[in-house]
């Protein structure tokens, strides 16, 4: 097919195609759109970036009716991530400007109330993530008994993320006769088994076979030690430029750490992972798309949620543990026929992961050198920094033991304080001070003791001031060696002799 007008779309949708900037249909669009218009169930396997969203949005909304007030949805799109839901919603909203359909997106991480209100008013097209949709179904805020078209987007990713049971329950809730479309980057055994039970005599559109990567993406690897990765990444960004680059890390912590390192290198970087709020993720993607951020550091969870044109190249800062994720990562560049590049930083401990990836894509990834980058010098510097850090972190065993004892004492004190506060809040009497208790007991004992007979005051000797005994003779002066007393006692003795 040479253009969209030959695919059977209506004039309104063709105008939406022009508004979206589409010129020539991609292979998946050319093969899928006529089948969808004919009402067939379809299983479409195509690489990321090949136009799968338009392949189902355009024909489905072209033949979709309109729900009345407080009714719908008539079309349901289920997708694994919030970013994908937003992207599909943007395409559907552009088509809806001409078809006059109501489009609603429900995803997790945001308030329920606006979504409930939108569903209460009625909608034609509902785009949802599985978790939030099930929540709303449980709250009886949405019914799926009027759905006539079900689209399962990125089905393999939903299987990987553990959404398959939820998707099965959602499809089962669509009780009316409906057309089902399943789109996936890869069609593995789990996806095929699910499709066999959910679709009715589906037609398969195989644009990409399992493990096939886009021909427009050049792939390379750089062998480097783990400690020297930051230096290699810096040299890579300096030599190839950092205008629009996506860096993939294995974990959320690694993504944050890598983004901070890149920012210290002088480039504008943002981290994108599931710990970020929906607004933070949207702002990061918008800033990257507009060029306000040079480098986007993301995890595999969001690898398919990044739909930005003209990404210069992709860096696998960490090799993925699942070889299929490698295909999805490098699919972020070289989209819609443009050329791209993917560079992987491979450590010696990544040998197994590299073998699995090369077995999946059925080719060896060639090595490359980074211009102006001295691998040996970088690894030597990294070893020196590691040794210095280890020296700073090392402590005397006795000091560590003392710190542990002090920490244990503090924990014990905090526990006692918490227990006392808990008793106080519960109205129980606070624990009494043992020393105060002993003091009060001593005072009570003294009060109860029998009073002793008072003795008459003794008379004092006029010269020495010492009390006289009953016989009237003054006692001998005892030696007092306290400061000043010794001198006065000596003077007294000398006076008596004289």
């Amino acid at each position: 097919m040479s253009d969209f007008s030959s695919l059977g779309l209506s004039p309104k949708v063709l105008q939406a195609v022009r508004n979206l900037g589409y010129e020539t249909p991609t292979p998946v669009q050319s093969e899928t759109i006529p089948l969808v218009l004919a009402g067939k169930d379809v299983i479409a396997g195509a690489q990321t970036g090949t136009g799968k969203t338009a392949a189902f949005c355009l024909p489905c909304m072209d033949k979709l009716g309109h729900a009345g007030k407080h009714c719908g949805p008539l079309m349901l799109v289920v997708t694994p991530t919030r970013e994908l839901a937003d992207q599909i919603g943007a395409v559907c909203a552009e088509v809806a400007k001409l078809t006059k359909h109501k489009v609603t997106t429900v995803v997790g991480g945001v308030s329920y109330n606006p979504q409930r209100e939108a569903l209460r008013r009625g909608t034609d097209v509902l785009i949802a993530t599985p978790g939030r949709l099930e929540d709303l179904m449980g709250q009886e805020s949405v019914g799926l008994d009027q759905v006539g078209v079900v689209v399962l987007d990125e089905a393999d990713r939903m299987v990987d993320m553990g959404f398959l049971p939820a998707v099965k329950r959602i499809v089962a809730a669509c009780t009316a006769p409906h057309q089902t479309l399943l789109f996936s980057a890869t069609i593995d055994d789990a996806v095929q088994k699910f499709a066999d039970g959910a679709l009715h005599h589906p037609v398969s559109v195989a644009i990409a076979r399992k493990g096939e990567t886009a021909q427009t993406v050049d792939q390379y690897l750089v062998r480097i030690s783990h400690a020297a990765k930051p230096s290699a990444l810096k040299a890579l960004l300096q030599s190839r430029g950092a205008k629009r680059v996506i860096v993939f890390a294995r974990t959320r912590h690694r993504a944050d750490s890598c983004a901070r390192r890149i920012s210290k290198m002088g480039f504008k970087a943002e981290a994108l992972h599931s710990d970020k709020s929906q607004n933070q993720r949207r702002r990061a993607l918008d800033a990257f798309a507009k060029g306000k951020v040079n480098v986007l550091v993301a995890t595999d969870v969001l690898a398919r949620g990044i739909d930005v044109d003209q990404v210069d190249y992709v860096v696998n800062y960490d090799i993925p543990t699942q070889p299929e994720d490698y295909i999805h990562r490098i699919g972020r560049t070289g989209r819609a026929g443009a050329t791209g590049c993917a560079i992987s930083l491979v450590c010696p401990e990544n040998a197994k992961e590299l073998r699995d990836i090369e077995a999946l894509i059925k080719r060896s990834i060639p090595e490359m050198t980074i211009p102006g980058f001295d691998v040996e010098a970088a690894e030597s510097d990294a070893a020196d920094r590691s040794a210095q850090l280890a020296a700073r972190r090392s402590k005397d065993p006795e000091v560590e033991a003392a710190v542990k004892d002090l920490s244990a004492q503090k924990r014990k004190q905090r526990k006692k304080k918490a227990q006392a506060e808990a008793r106080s809040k519960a109205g129980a009497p606070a624990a009494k001070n043992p020393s105060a208790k002993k003091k009060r007991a001593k005072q009570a004992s003294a009060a109860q003791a029998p009073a002793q007979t008072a003795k008459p005051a003794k008379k004092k000797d006029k010269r020495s001031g010492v009390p006289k005994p009953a016989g009237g003779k003054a006692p001998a002066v005892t030696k007092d060696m306290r400061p000043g007393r010794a001198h006065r006692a000596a003077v007294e003795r000398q006076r008596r002799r004289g």
Side-chain angles (χ1 to χ4, degrees):
M1 299 291 180
S2 59
D3 54 41
F4 283 96
S5 61
S6 60
L7 300 179
L9 296 171
S10 68
K12 287 184 179 180
V13 175
L14 288 175
Q15 180 59 48
V17 168
R18 289 189 288 271
N19 293 345
L20 288 165
Y22 301 155
E23 296 178 358
T24 304
T26 63
V28 68
Q29 293 167 353
S30 297
E31 293 196 31
T32 303
I33 289 175
L35 294 172
V36 176
L37 290 173
K40 301 287 186 181
D41 282 10
V42 177
I43 300 176
Q47 302 155 354
T48 55
T50 54
K52 296 194 295 293
T53 301
F56 62 78
C57 284
L58 297 175
C60 287
M61 295 183 69
D62 197 356
K63 65 187 185 70
L64 190 68
H66 292 78
K69 193 174 182 180
H70 308 304
C71 296
L74 305 180
M75 173 180 171
L76 173 65
V77 182
V78 184
T79 192
T81 67
R82 292 176 283 188
E83 285 70 28
L84 285 170
D86 289 339
Q87 292 167 19
I88 296 169
V91 175
C92 289
E94 193 64 36
V95 178
K97 290 179 182 178
L98 296 166
T99 60
K100 307 304 180 184
H101 287 107
K102 296 178 182 177
V103 179
T104 302
T105 301
V106 296
V107 297
V110 295
S111 174
Y112 282 92
N113 292 333
Q115 297 176 1
R116 292 195 194 98
E117 183 60 25
L119 292 169
R120 189 191 65 78
R121 291 194 298 266
T123 187
D124 301 309
V125 181
L126 177 60
I127 304 155
T129 52
R132 178 51 62 95
L133 180 55
E134 275 209 307
D135 288 346
L136 292 169
M137 290 167 61
Q139 299 167 10
E140 298 185 352
S141 298
V142 61
L144 305 181
D145 55 324
Q146 300 179 42
V147 173
V149 181
V150 177
V151 181
L152 306 175
D153 186 39
E154 299 287 0
D156 54 344
R157 190 59 176 167
M158 287 195 284
V159 171
D160 293 341
M161 296 173 69
F163 289 141
L164 184 57
V167 173
K168 287 181 177 179
R169 290 190 291 269
I170 291 169
V171 173
C174 301
T175 54
H178 57 269
Q179 179 184 18
T180 305
L181 312 175
L182 188 150
F183 290 79
S184 182
T186 57
I187 307 295
D188 56 16
D189 294 339
V191 173
Q192 187 63 55
K193 184 178 179 180
F194 169 70
D196 291 342
L199 280 71
H200 181 67
H201 299 303
V203 179
S204 296
V205 176
I207 303 301
R209 295 179 296 275
K210 182 179 180 180
E212 185 176 357
T213 57
Q215 299 299 319
T216 56
V217 180
D218 297 326
Q219 303 172 58
Y220 302 99
L221 64 85
V222 176
R223 296 191 182 276
I224 195 75
S225 68
H226 184 80
K229 276 186 179 182
S231 299
L233 180 59
K234 181 179 181 180
L236 196 60
L237 294 173
Q238 290 175 338
S239 63
R240 296 188 67 93
K243 185 177 180 181
R244 189 166 290 183
V245 182
I246 300 177
V247 178
F248 284 104
R250 184 172 295 179
T251 65
R252 293 167 291 185
H253 173 73
R254 294 276 292 168
D256 285 332
S257 176
C258 185
R260 287 194 298 269
R261 288 179 182 274
I262 295 172
S263 297
K264 290 179 180 179
M265 295 173 189
F267 306 103
K268 295 179 180 179
E270 286 282 352
L272 191 70
H273 52 70
S274 58
D275 268 0
K276 300 284 186 178
S277 68
Q278 179 67 5
N279 289 334
Q280 288 175 325
R281 288 153 68 168
R282 184 179 289 110
R283 284 196 298 267
L285 282 172
D286 290 344
F288 182 68
K290 295 176 182 177
K292 296 179 181 179
V293 170
N294 305 126
V295 184
L296 198 63
V297 186
T299 58
D300 286 313
V301 173
L302 300 180
R304 304 190 200 187
I306 305 171
D307 187 13
V308 180
D309 295 333
Q310 299 177 349
V311 173
D312 290 345
Y313 61 100
V314 166
V315 179
N316 287 311
Y317 190 71
D318 296 322
I319 297 296
T321 54
Q322 299 297 325
E324 290 82 5
D325 288 334
Y326 175 82
I327 297 174
H328 304 314
R329 286 183 179 188
I330 70 174
R332 300 303 98 196
T333 183
R335 298 172 71 84
T339 58
C341 179
I343 301 169
S344 301
L345 304 182
V346 181
C347 304
E349 53 266 32
N350 298 136
K352 181 183 182 302
E353 288 88 347
L354 180 61
R355 286 195 302 269
D356 292 342
I357 290 170
E358 290 180 335
L360 179 65
I361 64 177
K362 296 180 175 60
R363 57 172 289 190
S364 296
I365 304 174
E367 295 186 34
M368 66 166 286
T369 57
I370 303 173
F373 179 63
D374 189 339
V375 177
E376 293 183 359
E379 292 183 346
S380 177
D381 291 342
D384 291 342
R385 287 194 298 271
S386 298
Q388 292 172 2
L389 182 60
R392 287 197 301 269
R393 288 178 176 175
S394 63
K395 296 180 181 179
D396 189 301
E398 294 182 0
V399 175
E400 290 182 345
V403 171
K404 289 181 180 179
D405 291 341
L406 182 60
S407 299
Q409 291 177 7
K410 289 183 177 180
R411 286 196 299 270
K412 190 174 181 180
Q413 291 173 357
R414 287 195 296 268
K415 184 177 179 181
K416 286 184 177 180
K417 184 178 179 181
Q419 290 174 348
E421 291 176 352
R423 285 194 297 268
S424 177
K425 290 180 180 179
K432 297 181 179 179
N433 189 342
S435 60
K437 184 176 180 180
K438 290 181 179 180
K439 185 176 180 181
R440 287 194 295 271
K442 186 176 181 180
Q443 291 174 350
S445 176
Q448 293 174 2
Q452 296 181 357
T453 305
K455 296 182 179 180
K458 296 181 179 180
K459 296 182 179 180
K460 295 182 181 180
D461 183 75
K462 293 182 179 179
R463 292 178 297 176
S464 63
V466 179
K468 291 182 179 182
K473 187 177 180 181
V477 179
T478 55
K479 188 176 181 180
D480 188 348
M481 299 305 296
R482 284 179 293 178
R485 295 292 182 90
H487 175 69
R488 289 196 296 273
V491 172
E492 181 67 19
R493 288 194 297 271
Q494 183 67 26
R495 186 179 65 79
R496 288 181 180 179
R497 290 194 191 101

